[in-house]
Amino acid sequence: MIRDIFFNKWILGIIGLLVIVAGACVCYYYFATAPLNTEATKTLEKLSQRETSKKVDSDDEAEMVDNPQDKSLRVKQKTNSVTSDIIDATAERQKDAEEFHGKGSTSSNPLFADGVPEHLQCPKELVGFYTKEVSVENLRKIGEIANEVVERFNPNRPLPDVWPQFIEAEIYYHANADPDKKGLGVAANRFDWGVQSILDYPEIVVLLREDPIRATDMMMVEQAGWDPDWNLHELPDGRKFRADNGFYYEFIYSSGNDDKFTGTIYGLGHSGRDAERITIDLNETTDEELENLGGWNYNINPYTTGLYKLGDNKGD
């Protein structure tokens, strides 16, 4: 009976049909879904690559965003460190210079090796003030300090030794003075620095009393950068002449032409027309006489070359 069932034509036909349908389904599944699987696989691969790329890009972006900030921060920190070092070094130099030039209680003057008496120091309430800000009474005080220092604490050192130190201090004072308050005088006219200059260089105090005009002009040449030939002029007859302070010169010159023109043709001076007048006839004045009537050649420093001796005005 079982044999009849397996070999019955209808049953075999049905089984064959089922086989064909199954085969068709398999073929359909393969040919219909395989491209989808491939596409899905590619999509998954792309998504995977995109995620990987995104992660890399994210990392790169972090590298580009965070690291530049870190690098900038490091550079900024390094720059700040260098700037800080420069500021610290400058502040240290400023502090050293301030201590050297404005110490008040001590001095480079060897006679103050044990310290400066308190009554010769700048009053604390006047530290940092300029002469135009203080009273006449206080200005008188600085004069009293100068008188006592010159009288009792002047080591009388040679000018060639003292002058360069004095000029170095002056350069510092004028470079560091308040531009709105300073003056052209000693220590830029700052009161406490002026007292310090008196304590350190009493020989210069004496010099400024003995030879005030030339010493002041020499200071301007070496400390303020004046042209050492500021007083040099060419006269109508071609000769050179250095005008002196305190005089106004009138030169008379005959041209030597047939008309024999003669007259006051040239006048010059650095102290105004009301200063002492000197009339010079260039036709009658020798080169030696003309030189003797003139002023100082500021290319030559009489205080460092030994041409000037304190207490001996014949030195010039």
Side-chain angles (χ1 to χ4, degrees):
M1 183 174 178
I2 296 174
R3 182 179 177 183
D4 291 338
I5 293 173
F6 279 105
F7 288 97
N8 187 280
K9 61 179 182 180
W10 290 105
I11 293 175
L12 291 175
I14 292 171
I15 292 173
L17 180 60
L18 291 173
V19 171
I20 292 172
V21 171
C25 289
V26 171
C27 290
Y28 174 81
Y29 175 81
Y30 178 79
F31 290 106
T33 62
L36 296 175
N37 290 337
T38 302
E39 186 68 22
T41 300
K42 291 181 180 179
T43 302
L44 288 173
E45 289 177 352
K46 289 181 180 179
L47 288 172
S48 177
Q49 291 175 354
R50 184 176 297 175
E51 288 298 322
T52 303
S53 176
K54 185 176 181 180
K55 184 176 185 302
V56 171
D57 291 341
S58 178
D59 292 340
D60 288 343
E61 185 176 355
E63 182 76 12
M64 293 176 66
V65 173
D66 294 337
N67 285 356
Q69 289 178 349
D70 293 341
K71 183 177 180 181
S72 176
L73 181 60
R74 289 194 297 270
V75 170
K76 185 176 181 180
Q77 290 173 341
K78 184 175 181 181
T79 302
N80 289 342
S81 177
V82 172
T83 303
S84 178
D85 290 342
I86 293 174
I87 292 174
D88 290 344
T90 302
E92 188 65 26
R93 287 195 299 270
Q94 181 76 11
K95 180 181 178 182
D96 292 342
E98 189 70 30
E99 289 178 352
F100 179 78
H101 292 293
K103 45 196 174 294
S105 61
T106 59
S107 171
S108 60
N109 183 339
L111 298 186
F112 288 125
D114 296 328
V116 178
E118 186 174 355
H119 72 283
L120 293 178
Q121 299 177 27
C122 175
K124 290 182 173 56
E125 65 272 15
L126 293 177
V127 172
F129 284 84
Y130 291 76
T131 53
K132 64 181 180 181
E133 300 177 302
V134 301
S135 65
V136 175
E137 181 180 352
N138 284 322
L139 292 177
R140 194 176 294 118
K141 170 69 176 176
I142 201 172
E144 293 171 355
I145 291 175
N147 289 337
E148 183 171 349
V149 170
V150 167
E151 182 180 348
R152 298 180 54 200
F153 299 98
N154 185 1
N156 291 306
R157 294 165 292 187
L159 274 179
D161 295 341
V162 178
W163 180 269
Q165 299 175 34
F166 168 69
I167 291 298
E168 181 181 355
E170 283 298 296
I171 291 173
Y172 168 83
Y173 291 140
H174 285 267
N176 290 276
D178 186 328
D180 295 326
K181 298 179 181 180
K182 70 177 183 178
L184 292 176
V186 172
N189 291 1
R190 184 168 139 169
F191 196 89
D192 54 327
W193 288 349
V195 172
Q196 190 66 55
S197 183
I198 292 170
L199 299 173
D200 291 340
Y201 314 112
E203 297 90 347
I204 301 299
V205 176
V206 175
L207 173 63
L208 289 172
R209 290 175 176 179
E210 289 185 355
D211 196 22
I213 296 176
R214 182 169 58 175
T216 301
D217 289 341
M218 201 73 243
M219 283 171 54
M220 292 299 98
V221 169
E222 296 201 341
Q223 169 263 313
W226 279 14
D227 184 349
D229 291 327
W230 64 270
N231 63 338
L232 182 64
H233 303 270
E234 183 173 349
L235 300 178
D237 63 354
R239 287 186 287 181
K240 304 290 185 181
F241 181 77
R242 292 183 180 274
D244 199 0
N245 284 290
F247 300 98
Y248 184 80
Y249 300 90
E250 292 179 325
F251 295 94
I252 299 175
Y253 176 63
S254 173
S255 65
N257 295 329
D258 293 339
D259 54 9
K260 297 293 183 180
F261 172 79
T262 301
T264 303
I265 62 172
Y266 193 68
L268 61 87
H270 302 290
S271 303
R273 291 179 175 272
D274 295 331
E276 181 180 346
R277 288 177 175 265
I278 296 181
T279 301
I280 301 175
D281 186 339
L282 293 177
N283 296 99
E284 303 293 334
T285 305
T286 65
D287 292 344
E288 183 179 1
E289 291 171 338
L290 186 63
E291 184 177 357
N292 290 335
L293 291 169
W296 187 258
N297 180 352
Y298 290 95
N299 291 282
I300 302 170
N301 188 329
Y303 315 122
T304 58
T305 56
L307 295 176
Y308 188 93
K309 305 293 184 183
L310 286 175
D312 181 11
N313 291 327
K314 295 179 180 179
D316 58 350

